[in-house]
Amino acid sequence: MAADQGSSPSLRPGVPPTASSPTAPVVTVAGPRVHRAEEVLTPEAVAFVVGLHRAFEGRRQELLARRKARRAEIAAAGTLDFLPGTADVRAGDWKVAEAPRALQDRRVEITGPTDRKMVINALNSGARIWLADFEDATSPTWENVVSGQINLIDAFEGRIDFTTAAGKGYTLKPAAELATVVVRPRGWHLDENHLLVDGTPVAGAFLDFGLYFFHNAARLLAKGAEDPNSGPYFYLPKTESHLEARLWNDVFTHAQAELGIPYGTVRATVLIETITAAFEMDEILYELRDHAAGLNAGRWDYLFSIVKNFRDAGAHYILPDRNSVTMASPFMAAYTRLLVQTCHKRGAHAIGGMAAFIPSRKDPEVNAAALEKVKADKDREAGNGFDGSWVAHPDLVPVARASFDAVLGERTDQKDDPGPSEPVTPAQLLDIAGAGGTCTHAGLHNAVQVGIRYIEAWLRGMGAVGIFNMMEDAATAEISRSQIWQWIHNGVVLADTGEKATAELVRTLVATELAELLAELGEETYSTGRWREAARLFEQVALAEEFADFLTLPALPLLD
């Protein structure tokens, strides 16, 4: 790739970012030109990211290797249990740090990428929190990664606006009405190939966290005197163990010390979206206890993690059609019950799952039915002790807020409610067969449709995509392709047609989908898309003999 022409000259290949470094690294910033990139890719900011890389990259690689070893252990045992070596942590009498004012009331949180229009709409949405997402809802093109940082700075400085091609303008409401920003950096597994240190890519997590913290931590603290919604707050994705949480805690400690930010200023909410993390909730909060804000139930990635880890463990672990697995399914209910119990015992917030429905102004009947389902889902979460929940669209904010208002009233949370006293057992967390449901041709077809449509949009730089009235992100594509892999490798017979799930059947469905997309879009529009690339990548991650840990890994080289 060509060197970024918008970068500072001090960041040219071979030029160290700081003169004081005892063994100055070779730092390379490469990629397409991004407007105003020089405002975030300053020598000082890049040096800060490089410092994170040099301090913690070795541990990140060790933890990634540990993931593979853990998966091998699960494959051999066919089960999971709570860690015997950390029983004292689970039995201990301790709590996380008290939540700062901005994170005390989290009854409604909205999620979305950091493009300019979304920044304004999310901040204006009426939600208490906006999860500004550099992870699953963002396709990590260099343009998206860099411009997202610029957009957040502009928002904090009150100078952000957006005008559509049709002339519709978007501006921010007064500061007191805006959501609190909580940034989600990329997971530990993703590299950022546009920033190299001695020829090695930095972690996307180091770049996303580092640039945001470097440019905004002091700015947010300075604003805090008159704006209580200010602070460097984060969501941590794809965590698989308490050791990975420990690494984040050490990154926070290092970053605060480097910039003279008081210890404990950073607060982080961890997504419990892997099956291994579900068995280490106490330990994860303990590792982050001075910086912890809560845990979140991430539904689709959690299902994906179950399939990934138990994909070859037999019929008990075969997941039925994804749309038939609800949060009321016994194993999902056990997972959310444990999350609420753990959080409230430790003084942390328990945040519920996503309402991904996109309201339609064209079909009132579909709209009414979907909104009723969203209401029932949020009523259930509020009634089960959660302190807040996620939505993907501003029109759903009032629906979720009403559910939590009815339970919370003037309270900010339900931490005084410990939840049911019965302990959650490993057998309950792993009772996938108890979910019921079936594997169907219709479910297989839907997985192909959603997977291809999402991946095609992702390749064009869109990470949050409306598909069949649902806001989908990378987690949706992951569960779609992983279920197909599992069904094929376990010889599943489809309940509605009697066919066996095979690679040949999936390839037929892929070809049918491409033909239907061509008819739906027309030759001109279809030819401007990346449909055949998307189909090839989908077949690669769904049908390969070896299971790819994340579909984004083979997809990354296809992005600018």
Side-chain angles (χ1 to χ4, degrees):
M1 294 182 179
D4 182 353
Q5 300 302 308
S7 302
S8 165
S10 64
L11 300 179
R12 291 173 300 176
V15 180
T18 62
S20 60
S21 176
T23 55
V26 176
V27 179
T28 307
V29 180
R33 180 187 293 273
V34 177
H35 179 58
R36 298 174 57 194
E38 69 279 359
E39 297 178 32
V40 292
L41 298 174
T42 64
E44 297 79 10
V46 173
F48 181 73
V49 174
V50 171
L52 295 174
H53 170 86
R54 301 191 85 190
F56 299 109
E57 176 63 11
R59 282 177 60 189
R60 181 178 80 103
Q61 291 300 331
E62 290 173 2
L63 289 170
L64 292 178
R66 186 179 183 277
R67 286 183 177 184
K68 293 184 179 299
R70 184 74 168 132
R71 154 61 192 158
E73 293 170 2
I74 293 170
T79 190
L80 266 173
D81 203 344
F82 298 106
L83 300 177
T86 54
D88 57 333
V89 172
R90 294 193 298 277
D93 183 16
W94 54 269
K95 290 186 181 296
V96 302
E98 183 179 357
R101 181 177 171 185
L103 298 180
Q104 289 176 3
D105 191 330
R106 304 179 61 174
R107 65 188 68 200
V108 186
E109 303 190 356
I110 192 168
T111 74
T114 54
D115 63 89
R116 212 159 177 85
K117 180 180 175 183
M118 182 66 197
V119 169
I120 298 170
N121 282 343
L123 290 173
N124 287 345
S125 66
R128 298 297 179 110
I129 304 291
W130 169 41
L131 187 157
D133 197 5
F134 285 94
E135 209 237 359
D136 271 1
T138 290
S139 171
T141 66
W142 192 230
E143 168 73 32
N144 288 343
V145 168
V146 174
S147 64
Q149 297 281 350
I150 294 168
N151 293 337
L152 290 172
I153 293 171
D154 284 352
F156 294 140
E157 292 298 313
R159 62 188 182 215
I160 192 169
D161 57 22
F162 179 78
T163 303
T164 67
K168 183 177 181 180
Y170 296 80
T171 58
L172 288 180
K173 293 178 179 179
E177 300 178 36
L178 302 180
T180 294
V181 175
V182 180
V183 166
R184 178 162 70 166
R186 278 168 281 181
W188 286 131
H189 61 290
L190 285 172
D191 291 339
E192 176 48 73
N193 295 322
H194 299 98
L195 178 59
L196 309 178
V197 180
D198 294 330
T200 300
V202 303
F206 292 151
L207 184 78
D208 299 339
F209 166 81
L211 290 180
Y212 180 77
F213 188 82
F214 181 87
H215 287 294
N216 297 297
R219 172 186 279 113
L220 290 168
L221 290 179
K223 290 166 64 72
E226 69 266 5
D227 180 5
N229 293 330
S230 295
Y233 307 135
F234 298 91
Y235 257 109
L236 305 181
K238 304 292 189 291
T239 301
E240 296 197 12
S241 75
H242 70 285
L243 298 179
E244 295 182 16
R246 180 183 297 173
L247 176 56
W248 268 119
N249 195 70
D250 290 345
V251 168
F252 296 155
T253 300
H254 170 98
Q256 289 166 139
E258 283 288 301
L259 298 187
I261 303 298
Y263 178 81
T265 298
V266 169
R267 293 304 169 89
T269 304
V270 180
L271 291 106
I272 302 300
E273 54 186 352
T274 67
I275 185 62
T276 51
F279 281 84
E280 300 182 34
M281 293 188 203
D282 267 310
E283 294 89 333
I284 286 168
L285 285 177
Y286 183 80
E287 294 294 344
L288 287 159
R289 59 194 179 279
D290 293 336
H291 298 109
L295 303 177
N296 166 271
R299 175 185 178 186
W300 291 125
D301 265 314
Y302 188 70
L303 295 178
F304 163 56
S305 175
I306 289 172
V307 173
K308 177 164 66 173
N309 280 285
F310 293 99
R311 61 185 181 266
D312 46 14
H316 179 83
Y317 291 102
I318 294 175
L319 206 67
D321 290 1
R322 74 175 182 110
N323 291 325
S324 71
V325 181
T326 69
M327 299 303 283
S329 300
F331 77 101
M332 295 299 281
Y335 149 66
T336 55
R337 188 166 69 251
L338 178 60
L339 191 148
V340 171
Q341 287 176 345
T342 305
C343 285
H344 289 180
K345 181 179 180 181
R346 305 308 182 184
H349 279 72
I351 308 300
M354 169 71 79
F357 174 65
I358 304 173
S360 170
R361 293 173 175 84
K362 297 180 180 179
D363 194 330
E365 290 187 11
V366 169
N367 225 32
L371 288 175
E372 188 58 35
K373 289 182 181 179
V374 171
K375 179 182 182 302
D377 182 54
K378 300 310 166 190
D379 285 349
R380 177 191 52 77
E381 287 183 327
N384 287 348
F386 279 95
D387 304 299
S389 191
W390 281 9
V391 300
H393 192 281
D395 286 357
L396 299 182
V397 170
V399 179
R401 186 170 57 229
S403 294
F404 281 89
D405 285 350
V407 172
L408 293 176
E410 297 301 315
R411 296 181 299 160
T412 59
D413 56 65
Q414 302 191 73
K415 293 178 186 176
D416 58 346
D417 179 2
S421 59
E422 302 82 20
V424 174
T425 67
Q428 290 171 331
L429 290 171
L430 298 176
D431 184 19
I432 313 305
T438 56
C439 305
T440 70
H441 185 279
L444 185 67
H445 186 201
N446 179 259
V448 169
Q449 289 179 301
V450 171
I452 291 175
R453 289 171 188 243
Y454 178 81
I455 291 173
E456 192 277 335
W458 192 90
L459 292 174
R460 288 187 290 108
M462 296 173 60
V465 187
I467 303 174
F468 306 142
N469 288 327
M470 300 291 286
M471 185 62 73
E472 309 287 18
D473 66 11
T476 310
E478 291 284 27
I479 185 61
S480 295
R481 65 93 180 185
S482 63
Q483 277 200 280
I484 290 174
W485 194 100
Q486 184 189 44
W487 290 5
I488 290 172
H489 285 260
N490 284 273
V492 165
V493 175
L494 304 176
D496 53 344
T497 63
E499 297 170 276
K500 190 175 181 180
T502 64
E504 291 71 26
L505 176 57
V506 172
R507 290 191 182 97
T508 298
L509 290 172
V510 169
T512 299
E513 176 65 7
L514 291 179
E516 290 176 351
L517 284 163
L518 175 59
E520 174 186 329
L521 299 172
E523 178 66 41
E524 183 176 351
T525 301
Y526 180 88
S527 64
T528 62
R530 300 181 69 173
W531 297 106
R532 294 197 176 279
E533 281 180 278
R536 283 195 297 270
L537 179 59
F538 184 76
E539 288 188 6
Q540 176 185 342
V541 295
L543 303 181
E545 188 63 31
E546 291 296 319
F547 187 90
D549 283 342
F550 295 95
L551 70 83
T552 45
L553 295 179
L556 273 178
L558 303 177
L559 292 181
D560 290 329

